[in-house]
Amino acid sequence: MRRQPALRLSVLLLLVTGVPAAGQPTTPPAPYAYRQLENPQQEAQAKALMESLRCLVCQGQSIADSDADMAGDMRSMVRERIKAGEKPEAIRTWLIERYGSWVSYKPTVEPVTWPLWAAPILLLLVGLWLARGRFRRRTR
């Protein structure tokens, strides 16, 4: 009967120490996740593109700066496609189709995003109109 608490304690200890180990990736990183392309021009294209793509895990970093496994996979994918001769804009378009426009730090102008592009201009015009009225009252 005294073995019950010891068994429970050992199961609990196994669960507490085993869960973090299970969260670690078991697969090796993608081939070009941390390795540059041999061609310096292609690597420069890849680097420029990677700096303009947002990490889907970190969200505040580009895939060039992120250490997340997903960012490593995306870096490798970008390098492999550029090595195969694909243009950076075609890769960006493919990634946007796959992950949505949020993945790009360079948003596109579409009918859905027109209010976002127009809002700063409209707010500036409203501010100038309000300031004009305020200055007119002071001069009288």
Side-chain angles (χ1 to χ4, degrees):
M1 295 258 172
R2 289 187 166 251
R3 291 185 182 178
Q4 285 286 349
L7 180 63
R8 287 182 184 161
L9 182 63
S10 61
V11 168
L12 180 66
L13 191 61
L14 180 64
L15 286 174
V16 169
T17 58
V19 170
Q24 297 300 318
T26 57
T27 57
Y32 285 107
Y34 300 101
R35 194 178 72 189
Q36 294 185 350
L37 293 172
E38 296 79 23
N39 184 331
Q41 291 171 336
Q42 287 180 332
E43 181 60 30
Q45 285 180 331
K47 184 76 171 165
L49 179 59
M50 290 185 289
E51 288 174 354
S52 70
L53 296 172
R54 186 187 316 262
C55 175
L56 300 173
V57 177
C58 304
Q59 299 181 0
Q61 291 181 311
S62 68
I63 63 170
D65 299 330
S66 176
D67 288 332
D69 292 333
M70 176 105 181
D73 291 343
M74 289 174 76
R75 282 192 304 270
S76 181
M77 185 174 36
V78 165
R79 285 182 173 131
E80 287 171 1
R81 287 176 168 247
I82 285 185
K83 185 177 181 178
E86 208 169 325
K87 299 288 182 202
E89 278 309 309
I91 299 168
R92 176 191 311 283
T93 303
W94 181 78
L95 286 169
I96 288 172
E97 287 172 0
R98 185 170 182 171
Y99 298 113
S101 61
W102 191 82
V103 75
S104 176
Y105 278 124
K106 297 178 182 176
T108 57
V109 180
E110 299 171 353
V112 175
T113 61
W114 285 348
L116 296 174
W117 290 99
I121 296 167
L122 291 175
L123 290 173
L124 181 65
L125 291 174
V126 168
L128 289 173
W129 182 72
L130 290 173
R132 183 181 144 261
R134 187 88 154 135
F135 289 133
R136 270 190 175 175
R137 279 191 232 141
R138 285 192 178 178
T139 58
R140 289 183 185 175

